[in-house]
Structure formats: structure tokens, C-alpha cells
Amino acid sequence: MLFFYISFIAGTILCALANSYHTLLAARIITGLFGGVIGSISLAIVADLFDIHHRGRVMGFVQMGFGASQVLGVHIGLYLANNLGWRAPFCLVVAMGTLIAVLIVAKLKPVTAHLSAQHSRTPLRYLLNTFSKRNYRIRFLATAFLSIGGFTMMPFSSAFAVNNLKVTHEQLPLLFMVSGCSSLVIMPLIGRIADRINKFTLYTIASALMIVVVVVYTNMSVTPLAWFLPLH
């Protein structure tokens, strides 16, 4: 985790030092590669430390960070970019990331209990054996589609809102704040529900609801803010 976290910080430093579109894009790719793995490792640590009956609420609490980033991070980033330049938000992320890395080193105990369950097979053979199981392949594929779908839409959310829905730049912070506050409330609630009912049933219901919302939202044209704000 520390390796990928420090690499994420290094990628963010490269973003702040970028002097062209191509170097910024390359730095963002590097940052995303390491940042994405951090999310997976964090959830793996949660799965190691908490039993299945408590993982939902813990993961829901962890996912609140995404909502907090929309409520606070977007606004702080826009403020810094407008007043100190576009590099300032990257510098802030580096400073905060460095502080958190120090806290991880000082406070987080090594998670080693899973090592005792390892087999004598090589990591490659163990990986191939994992992919040979149909249930695992379905879950990996579902997770991949979920990530691809989400991270394909999110970068274009602002552009879509401004150009298709005709949201003004002054209204954008309100849009992010509503979606962020919704995440802060909903994620812990969903986590608690996941600990009490069948997780597959919950996932199926949430996926079906999300399909409807995405289809409706992406086919909207110029619409008053109050109409589509609840979709966030």
C-alpha cells in the first residue's frame, strides 16, 4: 500500500510540474494507475480486518471520502486554481498525501494474517487458478465494467452539464455539493443495509436503479437546474 501511495504522490508531483497537455496527460495516467490500485488495496485491508457481517458499514464509511472530496475538494480546488493557478490544487494534494503517508507509516499496523493462509503454489499459478473459477471471473468482470462505466462518465460530467444541460459555471459547485452530500448520507446507510440483507440482491437493485438514472440523465437536453438536481 505504501509503495502505491508514494507512487501516487510522485505522479501528482509530475502533474504539478507538467508544462504541456501531453506531459499532464501522461502524469495523470501514472497517477491514475497507482491511485486506482490504492482503492483496491484499501478495500482488501477492510476485508482482512473485518468479518463479513461488518464489512458493509466499514466500506460505506470509507466510501464517504469520495463524497467529502466532492463537497470540500472540488470547491477548495477551484478556489486555489482561480487564485493561485491550476498547479495549486496538485500541490495541496501532494502536501496532504505526504502527511497521510507519514500517518500510515506511524499508525497503521502491518496486515500479515493472510500470509499464513497462502499455499505453496507460485503467485502466477495461484492467479491462474483464481481466474479458472467461473464465479471469480464473473465478479472480476462486473467490477471491471463498474469501474470503466463510472470513470468513463465522471470526467465528462462537468462538460455535459455545461454544454448539454446549460448549467452555468457558477452553478457547477452546487451540483457537486449536492452529489457529495448525498454520498455522505447514502454510503453509510447502504453499508448498514448490506450487512443485513443479501448483498447480491442489494447489488442487483442498485444496478437496475442506476441503469434507469444513467439512461434518463444522459438523454436530457436543456433542463432547469431544479429538475435534474435530484438525479445527483
Side-chain angles (χ1 to χ4, degrees):
M1 180 179 179
L2 275 174
F3 169 78
F4 283 100
Y5 198 82
I6 293 172
S7 300
F8 167 79
I9 295 173
T12 308
I13 293 174
L14 294 177
C15 291
L17 297 176
N19 55 11
S20 69
Y21 170 78
H22 295 93
T23 55
L24 178 60
L25 181 62
R28 290 299 295 157
I29 291 174
I30 294 173
T31 306
L33 288 173
F34 291 108
V37 177
I38 292 172
S40 302
I41 294 175
S42 299
L43 295 180
I45 291 176
V46 170
D48 277 341
L49 298 182
F50 297 89
D51 64 79
I52 193 169
H53 301 295
H54 296 88
R55 288 175 192 167
R57 68 184 68 181
V58 176
M59 289 185 178
F61 184 80
V62 171
Q63 294 297 327
M64 285 176 61
F66 183 75
S69 70
Q70 289 183 294
V71 176
L72 298 174
V74 172
H75 297 80
I76 294 174
L78 289 174
Y79 177 82
L80 292 175
N82 291 332
N83 291 275
L84 301 176
W86 66 269
R87 301 177 192 272
F90 292 111
C91 295
L92 176 63
V93 172
V94 170
M96 293 183 64
T98 302
L99 176 61
I100 293 172
V102 172
L103 291 175
I104 292 174
V105 174
K107 298 295 184 180
L108 186 63
K109 297 180 180 179
V111 181
T112 58
H114 62 284
L115 296 177
S116 59
Q118 286 188 348
H119 301 281
S120 58
R121 290 172 291 187
T122 64
L124 179 59
R125 184 177 294 276
Y126 192 83
L127 180 63
L128 293 176
N129 183 64
T130 300
F131 275 100
S132 68
K133 300 182 184 299
R134 182 174 179 271
N135 287 340
Y136 286 2
R137 292 199 303 271
I138 293 175
R139 285 162 173 76
F140 291 151
L141 191 61
T143 303
F145 278 125
L146 185 66
S147 301
I148 292 171
F151 288 103
T152 299
M153 289 185 61
M154 282 187 286
F156 296 100
S157 59
S158 298
F160 178 82
V162 171
N163 295 292
N164 294 61
L165 305 179
K166 300 305 178 183
V167 174
T168 65
H169 289 282
E170 289 73 22
Q171 292 173 325
L172 272 180
L174 176 61
L175 210 60
F176 286 110
M177 179 171 288
V178 169
S179 59
C181 290
S182 299
S183 298
L184 290 175
V185 174
I186 293 174
M187 293 309 297
L189 177 62
I190 294 297
R192 289 182 177 274
I193 294 175
D195 288 333
R196 297 180 180 179
I197 69 172
N198 183 275
K199 292 176 173 56
F200 180 76
T201 301
L202 179 63
Y203 181 82
T204 303
I205 295 173
S207 298
L209 179 62
M210 189 62 188
I211 289 172
V212 174
V213 172
V214 169
V215 171
V216 172
Y217 185 72
T218 55
N219 282 278
M220 295 176 73
S221 56
V222 181
T223 308
L225 181 64
W227 286 26
F228 65 81
L229 202 57
L231 294 176
H232 281 257

